[in-house]
Amino acid sequence: MTSQVSSPAGKTDEASEAVVGEHSVPSAEGTGAAEKEVRRLDRVIIRFAGDSGDGMQLTGDRFTSETASFGNDLSTLPNFPAEIRAPAGTLPGVSSFQLHFADHDILTPGDAPNVLVAMNPAALKANIADVPRGADIIVNTDEFTKRPMAKVGYAVSPLEDGSLDAYNVHPVPLTTLTIEALKEFGLSRKEAERSKNMFALGLLSWMYNRPTEGTEKFLRSKFAKKPVIAEANVAAFKAGWNFGETTEDFAVSYEVAPASHAFPTGTYRNISGNLALSYGLIAAGRQADLPLYLGSYPITPASDILHELSKHKNFGVRTFQAEDEIAGIGAALGAAFGGSLAVTTTSGPGVALKSETIGLAVSLELPLLIVDIQRGGPSTGLPTKTEQADLLQAMYGRNGEAPVPVIAPRTPADCFDAALDAARIALTYRTPVFLLSDGYLANGSEPWRVPEIDSLPDLRVQFATGPNHELADGTEVFWPYKRDPRTLARPWAVPGTPGLEHRIGGIEKQDGTGNISYDPANHDFMVRTRQAKIDGIEVPDLEVDDPAGATTLALGWGSTYGPITAAVRRLRAAGETIAQAHLRHLNPFPKNLGEVLKRYDRVVVPEMNLGQLSSLLRARYLVDVRSYNQVNGMPFKAEQLATALKEANGA
């Protein structure tokens, strides 16, 4: 979905109160019932939760798309089981989708939901601890029978034992109402039940005055080959809307105005991190005027990139789904040798398998993008949960001295720019490059300003076309390891170019000629030269947000940007003085990083690992960096970080 925003940028503290006013307006759609009160909010956090077969991700995606088209700022957090189909009605099988949307600039999916939609007892039990007192809970009462409750340890219905008295509970027989609404379609009970998520979506769309046309169009397109199913889903969606309009249990609906002051002028669309990264790779191929080649093996949470890139052959994209991780990167490195912008995508377990070929790419000095969408580990770990624990693996997870640049995007939309940046480094310096995203960014989404083509960097490179060295006897020859004096990059010679034949392989090369060499002095020189090439990569200086001369610096990398920034906003709104900086380039570090670190009495580094960046900073700069760590498979909460940073600031 795209929308136009034509107003100056503006920022609002994310911790501001939700209710800023209320008024009454005519209902958006109805059946002749009396008009209901409409209250205006500045932000809302909704969580849809149900069994992994209840369509919670689709429901959340549709609500998000309509919210994006309406013009709100938004941030999402999908959360789903690792199993393809976990046992129905169990706690491990609960799937949820959280959406935070607002009339101002926001940074996170929110700490706690204002509204929980629980499709069954398991969904309620798995999520109730996150729901604050006074929040709204919409429950599907049809599922609160003896057997489903017993599966999750409810001896007595929580809808009847008083345990939910602190919440505004709205009991809705979603299944019964959906089946009743779809009687005319002649569907079986099981087929009709599958549309209850659309009934819930319709109800929530009424509650928050979301547009409906896009969802109806989407359903008719999705089920175009099954028109009866398409119209049944549309009918369930409309029935949910009309239920909200007519029932006495929902006396108020809510309005969250577009975020008209949060964005610069431009065309925006809702985008997930993996989609933004895919578009960034395509753009990099076009800007480099090179074919884009992806050699990949499917793995959660990186598979979406393979799926997306396979759709874009018209942009010169070629995708190869290999039989394993090693074959995927081997094919990608071969494509790099052949003159393509080559990419391989994976997660932590796949990086372990690809490590030997990454070392080969270091030795061959060819451009290759290694996209690691990090997830919980070790080993198979937590396939659908997020983590930032592959940093040291990316830095050092190869035999020998094999330095590789490492960069990390900070938001879903930033994945587009990070992909272009990774391609710039790989092509300019003839090196493999790690791009470290994670599951939180990959599956989360936010508004993205579609860039103007003219604003994208020129990534074109010159291939070697002839001899580049003159021997003592005057003979002109091609030396594959004769370097550019500025970048130390070697020439890129496409196979088949007459006169440019040269040896490749993993054994050490002789400087200049590229011949096999076991000479100790040459090996020492080549190792140091490869390191110097990485150390000399041009990256921007680290920018520090320090409006008031703070003594404490909150420093992050990757997807911690949103929670850290939201926490810093809260502290500043409460009168605390604190500085913030965020790293994109992790190898090499920005040249001014050491000076920045020594400027502050305290440096706090929140990470979703046990302190990997903190260890690197202590070793490199001899600064007493303080770690704040979490490895529970979920992103940080803003309030959690605000508390930790406040304690550090007062130390």
Side-chain angles (χ1 to χ4, degrees), residues 497-577:
T497 306
L500 303 191
E501 298 85 358
H502 61 283
R503 185 188 304 273
I504 63 168
I507 298 176
E508 184 62 281
K509 314 295 186 300
Q510 184 182 51
D511 176 43
T513 69
N515 295 329
I516 289 176
S517 173
Y518 296 98
D519 177 63
N522 177 79
H523 177 59
D524 183 274
F525 178 81
M526 292 295 279
V527 167
R528 294 179 186 276
T529 300
R530 287 189 289 262
Q531 184 64 58
K533 180 174 70 169
I534 304 307
D535 292 341
I537 291 173
E538 295 181 3
V539 302
D541 279 351
L542 180 65
E543 296 182 0
V544 183
D545 177 15
D546 186 356
T551 57
T552 299
L553 172 69
L555 178 66
W557 70 278
S559 67
T560 57
Y561 173 78
I564 292 174
T565 307
V568 168
R569 287 183 184 180
R570 294 187 184 199
L571 292 176
R572 290 177 180 172
E576 295 279 335
T577 301

Side-chain angles (χ1 to χ4, degrees), residues 421 424 537-543 584-585 589-592:
D421 201 9
R424 172 190 69 85
I537 291 173
E538 295 181 3
V539 302
D541 279 351
L542 180 65
E543 296 182 0
R584 165 176 282 179
H585 297 93
F589 286 129
K591 288 182 172 55
N592 69 330

Side-chain angles (χ1 to χ4, degrees), residues 336-339 361-367 426-431 461-469 477-495 497 499-504 509-514 526 529 533:
F337 179 59
V362 172
S363 175
L364 298 183
E365 300 189 45
L366 288 171
L427 294 170
T428 303
Y429 297 91
R430 310 286 197 269
T431 177
V461 297
Q462 294 295 321
F463 290 112
T465 57
N468 63 355
H469 184 75
V477 296
F478 175 67
W479 274 15
Y481 281 82
K482 185 170 185 176
R483 301 180 183 278
D484 181 296
R486 182 180 70 85
T487 65
L488 298 183
R490 78 175 187 90
W492 193 1
V494 176
T497 306
L500 303 191
E501 298 85 358
H502 61 283
R503 185 188 304 273
I504 63 168
K509 314 295 186 300
Q510 184 182 51
D511 176 43
T513 69
M526 292 295 279
T529 300
K533 180 174 70 169

